[in-house]
Amino acid sequence: MWGILARTAVKSRMVKPCGLVRPVLATRIPGRYLAHQEGLPGLPIPPLQQTCERYLAVLEPIMETEELGHTRELVAEFQKPGGIGEKLQDGLKKRASKTENWLSAWWVQTAYLDYRLPVVVHSSPGLVLPRVEFSGWQGQIRHAAKTIAGVLDFKTMIDNETLPVEHLGGKPLCMNQYYQVLSSCRIPGLKRDSVVNYAKGTVPSTHITVVHNCQFFAMDVYNSDRTPLTVEQLYVQLEKIWNSSLETDGEPVGILTSEHRDTWGKAYMNLIKDRTNRDSVQAIQKSIFVVCLDAAMPRVSDEMSSAAAQMLHGGGSRLNSGNRWFDKTLQFIISEDGTCGLIYEHAPAEGPPIVALIDHVIEYVKKSEIVDLPTEPLPVPPKLRFEITPQITKDIEEAKKNLNIMVDDLDLRVMVFDHFGKSIPKAFKMSPDAFIQVGLQLAYYRLHQKCCSTYESASLRAFKLGRTDTIRSASVDSANFTKAFDNPGMQNTEKVALMENAIKAHRSYTDMAIRGQAIDRHLLGLKLQATEDQVHLPEIFKDRAYATAMHYKISTSQVPAKTDCVMCFGPVVPDGYAVCYNPMENHINFAMSSFNGCGETDTARMAKAIEKALTDMRKLLETTPKSKL
Ligand code: COA
Ligand code: HC5
C-alpha cells in the first residue's frame, strides 16, 4: 500500500507549483499513516548481560585500566542473578508491554523537556542553505513567499498521508516525527517544559508567524476555500508586513525564548498574565511555522561560519537573535543578503525529517515562478502586540545579556572538506560514515593524546515511535588505530589493517544500534526505572566510569541531505566539541563548535586536524599496495 502512496507523492510534486491545480487543506483522517505505523515493530529491550558486557567494552578506551577493576565489580554485582539489574529489567519489560515504545516518552523528557539549559546553542540545531542571489527586499520576500509555498506543499503530503515511507538498512521507518514538526511549539515550565501540537485537532492551524524587525505577525496562508495561498498572494501579504515593520519598535520579546528554561518559565508566567500578551504568544504557538525575515549580518571573510551562527543563535541581541521565537519547532530564516536556512527546536523530531522537508522546499522553489496575476484582496495580517511592563523589560534586558555571553562563547566554524566525499571510502569498500568517525578519533587523538567518550546519533526509527540511540565511536579498535597511526616504527600494511578493523568495528556498532541493541538508552532506561520504582540508584550509575562515559567530549551527527547544506549544533559539555556533517559524493560539509571559555578546545585546530586526518587516511590507503593488504 505504501508503494502506491509513494507514487502518489511523486505525482503531487510534479504539479506546477504556482499552477491552478491546488491541493486543499485536509482535516486529517487517520488511515494510511496508521496502517503503516501499526506494522512497525516495537523497540526491543536488549538482554541485561549483553548491555553489561558491552558497557565494560566501551569503557576500555576511555578509562585507565586500574580504574576499570572497580567498575567490573560494580557491574558484576548489578547483573548477578536475582540482583537489582534483573529487577529493573523486569520493570522495563512491564513498561514495554504497556506502552507503544518503552523509551520515547522518557527520552523526550530527559533529553529535552527536563533539560534546563537554553535551547539556543545547547539543543536546537541550525541548518544553512546554499546562498540565494536576491535583489533588494522585494527579492527577499519573493524568496520567502516561494519558501512558504514549498513548505505548504510538503504539508499537503503530510495532511494527505502521501509522504513516501523512508528506509534505513532496508527497513521501513517510523513516520511519526513528520506529524510533530508543523503547528507545534515548546512551552516553558518552571521545572519542566512541554510541547503542544495544533496539527492534531479538528480545527487545524491555518496561519504562520512572520517576524521582521523583532515584530511578530500572524499571516493566514489558506484561502477561505481551504486552498493554500499562491506564491503571488503570499508575496502581497509579506509586502504588507514588511511595510508596517520598517523600523524596530518596542522590545524584542522573542529574545526571552533564548533564556535558561527555568528563567524563561518564570518570565513566561509573568508575560502571559496580560491578555494581549497571552493571545499573541498563543498565536505564535499555534502557527504552522515561523518565517524570520532577517537583517543582513555584518560582512566577514568566513561567510559560511557567519551564516551558521545566524541560524544557530542569530548573532546576538544587536543582530538577529530578537527576530526569533526559539520555542517554535520550525523557523525558516531568510536574510536580506541572501543567506537562508532554519533553526528547529529539537524535542519533537530528529534532523532527517526536517532535511526531507528542506530537500522538498528547495526543489519546489527552483521550479516556482511568480506570475503576476490579479488576486482577491486579502486582509492585512495582524501584528501580534505585546504590553511591556517594567518587569518584562527587565527580563528582556537580562535575556539579551545572557544570550550575548553565550554567542561570544561559541566558537563555531564551517569547513567544506573538498578533498573527497563518500565516493573515496566506498571505492575502498569502506563505510563512509565509519571512515569519517575514525577520522574524528584520529584528529582528537592527535590534539589531545588520548581518546574520549564520543557520541554519534543512530536512528531508532525502524521501531514504532523510535528516536535515537548512541553509537560510541571510541572503541578498542579505533584506539589501536589512532595510537598506531603516527608511529614511524610501524609498517603501513599494519596501519591499514588497524584502520580496517576500526572502520569495521564502527560499522558493526552502527548496525547494532539501529537494531535497538546499543547500550546507552538501555542503561538510561534501567536508571529511570530505578527512580520509577523508588529504589536506591544502583552503584554503577554513581561510578566515575559512568560519568566519564556520559561526558561526551565529541558529540557528532551525520545528517545526509540531497541539498548541499551545512548543519550545526553546540557542544554538549563545556570542554567538548560538536561535529555535524553532511557527506556528499565528492565533498563533506562539516560544522564544528566548541566553547571559547574552555582552554582545552579550539575549533579551528580541530577543523585542521579533521582535514589532515581524513586526507592522511586516504593517502595511507592509496600508497599501500593492494597486494600487501
Ligand atoms: N563499501 C561500499 N559502500 C558502502 C560500504 C562499504 N563497505 N558501507 C556503506 N556503503 C555505502 C552505503 O551503501 C551508502 O550508500 P548510498 O550513498 O548510496 O546511500 C553509503 O555508503 C553511506 O553508508 P554509511 O556511510 O555506512 O552510513 P549510513 O548511511 O548507513 O548511515 C548512520 C549511518 C549512523 C548515519 C545511520 O545509520 C543513521 O542512524 N542515520 C540517522 C542519524 C540521525 O538520526 N541523525 C540526526 C539526529 S538529529
Ligand atoms: C539538522 C541536523 C540536526 C542534527 C541534530 C542531532 O544530531 O541531534 C542529536 C539527537 C540525538 O538524539 O542524537 C543530538 N546531538 C546534537 C547532541 C548529537
Side-chain angles (χ1 to χ4, degrees):
M1 173 152 80
W2 280 89
I4 298 167
L5 295 180
R7 278 200 298 281
T8 320
V10 171
K11 215 167 139 195
S12 78
R13 255 184 259 145
M14 292 191 308
V15 172
K16 195 166 169 257
C18 58
L20 294 172
V21 186
R22 281 185 279 121
V24 176
L25 173 69
T27 310
R28 193 159 68 82
I29 305 155
R32 289 174 281 202
Y33 160 74
L34 273 188
H36 165 70
Q37 292 295 110
E38 288 310 314
L40 292 167
L43 181 69
I45 300 169
L48 185 65
Q49 310 292 335
Q50 175 185 298
T51 294
C52 289
E53 262 166 45
R54 288 178 178 172
Y55 173 53
L56 290 173
V58 303
L59 292 177
E60 267 184 59
I62 56 171
M63 295 293 295
E64 300 297 336
T65 320
E66 50 278 16
E67 279 186 282
L68 277 180
H70 176 62
T71 303
R72 276 198 195 94
E73 283 168 23
L74 296 182
V75 171
E77 175 65 23
F78 180 72
Q79 65 174 345
K80 74 175 183 208
I84 181 69
E86 281 192 356
K87 284 201 186 77
L88 298 175
Q89 178 83 348
D90 287 345
L92 283 187
K93 284 181 187 159
K94 243 189 231 135
R95 185 179 166 88
S97 69
K98 289 188 292 196
T99 49
E100 282 197 293
N101 182 311
W102 62 265
L103 171 68
S104 294
W106 265 349
W107 175 246
V108 173
Q109 291 293 356
T110 312
Y112 301 107
L113 306 178
D114 286 346
Y115 188 68
R116 306 316 286 161
L117 287 181
V119 291
V120 183
V121 172
H122 298 286
S123 180
S124 299
L127 183 151
V128 187
L129 288 168
R131 208 185 159 84
V132 188
E133 292 302 324
F134 301 143
S135 52
W137 65 268
Q138 289 96 336
Q140 182 183 6
I141 61 171
R142 184 172 299 127
H143 189 73
K146 291 178 184 177
T147 303
I148 296 165
V151 182
L152 294 177
D153 194 57
F154 193 81
K155 181 175 180 297
T156 304
M157 288 201 282
I158 298 177
D159 291 341
N160 295 345
E161 305 188 0
T162 51
L163 277 173
V165 170
E166 291 170 293
H167 289 79
L168 180 66
K171 299 219 169 89
L173 297 185
C174 173
M175 298 297 283
N176 178 263
Q177 291 179 23
Y178 284 95
Y179 294 88
Q180 311 304 326
V181 293
L182 295 172
S183 312
S184 67
C185 195
R186 183 161 166 159
I187 315 269
L190 294 175
K191 290 247 149 49
R192 165 182 283 185
D193 292 0
S194 55
V195 173
V196 283
N197 187 307
Y198 292 95
K200 288 173 199 146
T202 42
V203 190
S205 307
T206 53
H207 70 282
I208 62 167
T209 302
V210 178
V211 46
H212 179 229
N213 278 329
C214 306
Q215 294 158 66
F216 294 84
F217 296 83
M219 181 171 129
D220 243 304
V221 288
Y222 287 93
N223 288 298
S224 52
D225 65 356
R226 299 160 75 85
T227 54
L229 297 195
T230 61
V231 175
E232 308 81 75
Q233 288 177 307
L234 293 165
Y235 178 88
V236 172
Q237 293 302 81
L238 288 171
E239 194 176 29
K240 292 176 195 163
I241 290 176
W242 182 276
N243 285 328
S244 61
S245 53
L246 292 174
E247 307 257 313
T248 309
D249 76 337
E251 298 285 351
V253 183
I255 208 138
L256 289 171
T257 61
S258 70
E259 268 285 19
H260 184 282
R261 304 307 295 177
D262 291 350
T263 313
W264 171 215
K266 210 165 147 221
Y268 178 80
M269 296 304 283
N270 180 52
L271 179 74
I272 61 166
K273 268 194 220 149
D274 177 277
R275 180 75 198 258
T276 308
N277 295 350
R278 188 162 62 241
D279 290 349
S280 294
V281 167
Q282 266 198 3
I284 299 172
Q285 291 166 345
K286 284 186 174 167
S287 62
I288 306 169
F289 53 88
V290 174
V291 170
C292 309
L293 299 172
D294 268 18
M297 295 279 275
R299 287 195 77 95
V300 287
S301 56
D302 187 355
E303 267 182 21
M304 289 293 275
S305 300
S306 160
Q310 183 173 1
M311 300 311 144
L312 202 61
H313 53 56
S317 65
R318 284 169 202 273
L319 297 171
N320 289 299
S321 302
N323 212 43
R324 303 281 184 276
W325 194 265
F326 286 109
D327 289 353
K328 193 69 191 159
T329 310
L330 264 174
Q331 301 195 80
F332 296 91
I333 298 161
I334 294 147
S335 187
E336 218 173 321
D337 59 1
T339 306
C340 295
L342 65 84
I343 175 163
Y344 81 92
E345 199 291 301
H346 213 324
E350 258 62 68
I354 311 288
V355 165
L357 184 155
I358 272 297
D359 283 339
H360 181 84
V361 171
I362 291 287
E363 281 310 304
Y364 187 96
V365 167
K366 269 189 209 154
K367 289 186 284 181
S368 168
E369 280 305 324
I370 293 194
V371 188
D372 203 10
L373 288 177
T375 55
E376 289 282 305
L378 291 165
V380 175
K383 180 168 169 170
L384 301 174
R385 303 201 173 270
F386 287 95
E387 293 299 327
I388 305 294
T389 62
Q391 181 59 45
I392 300 173
T393 306
K394 209 167 143 232
D395 290 341
I396 291 174
E397 286 312 310
E398 194 64 19
K400 281 185 193 169
K401 199 181 80 201
N402 289 336
L403 176 90
N404 291 340
I405 293 170
M406 201 157 66
V407 164
D408 288 344
D409 195 29
L410 191 75
D411 182 6
L412 172 68
R413 269 157 220 256
V414 170
M415 172 172 78
V416 176
F417 176 86
D418 54 8
H419 302 277
F420 58 89
K422 282 195 283 190
S423 64
I424 292 295
K426 279 186 192 175
F428 284 100
K429 303 216 171 347
M430 291 171 168
S431 147
D433 185 67
F435 187 93
I436 296 167
Q437 286 288 334
V438 171
L440 298 183
Q441 290 299 306
L442 178 58
Y444 188 89
Y445 186 80
R446 280 173 163 173
L447 293 184
H448 299 274
Q449 284 75 52
K450 54 182 177 224
C451 297
C452 68
S453 189
T454 307
Y455 180 112
E456 181 188 1
S457 307
S459 179
L460 286 180
R461 284 177 55 210
F463 306 100
K464 197 191 290 180
L465 303 186
R467 297 290 304 252
T468 60
D469 206 327
T470 310
I471 302 166
R472 289 185 167 267
S473 309
S475 63
V476 172
D477 293 295
S478 74
N480 288 342
F481 168 67
T482 55
K483 282 176 194 156
F485 196 90
D486 293 321
N487 178 354
M490 191 173 270
Q491 296 286 318
N492 281 356
T493 46
E494 279 179 81
K495 291 181 188 176
V496 169
L498 291 174
M499 191 200 298
E500 284 183 331
N501 285 347
I503 286 173
K504 276 195 196 125
H506 189 85
R507 188 60 235 182
S508 86
Y509 203 118
T510 300
D511 289 334
M512 170 178 108
I514 63 176
R515 279 189 287 107
Q517 299 295 324
I519 63 167
D520 276 70
R521 302 300 181 265
H522 187 201
L523 288 172
L524 174 74
L526 293 163
K527 191 170 165 228
L528 294 174
Q529 190 63 44
T531 314
E532 191 114 325
D533 293 350
Q534 298 182 330
V535 294
H536 281 301
L537 192 65
E539 291 301 315
I540 58 161
F541 299 118
K542 298 186 215 156
D543 184 25
R544 218 173 79 86
Y546 186 73
T548 307
M550 296 301 150
H551 191 86
Y552 294 109
K553 289 202 184 188
I554 314 180
S555 164
T556 77
S557 188
Q558 173 193 152
V559 188
K562 291 197 192 105
T563 308
D564 193 4
C565 57
V566 179
M567 296 158 242
C568 53
F569 48 81
V572 294
V573 294
D575 52 350
Y577 291 104
V579 182
C580 192
Y581 52 97
N582 172 15
M584 311 290 285
E585 242 8 76
N586 296 310
H587 68 278
I588 308 166
N589 296 332
F590 281 99
M592 289 148 288
S593 62
S594 65
F595 294 114
N596 286 316
C598 173
E600 268 177 48
T601 54
D602 178 337
T603 310
R605 277 186 74 210
M606 183 62 163
K608 281 218 169 65
I610 293 173
E611 182 180 16
K612 186 157 168 26
L614 295 175
T615 45
D616 285 355
M617 282 166 62
R618 174 191 185 173
K619 202 158 122 205
L620 176 71
L621 290 174
E622 284 178 345
T623 53
T624 310
K626 262 210 161 86
S627 56
K628 288 196 193 158
L629 295 182

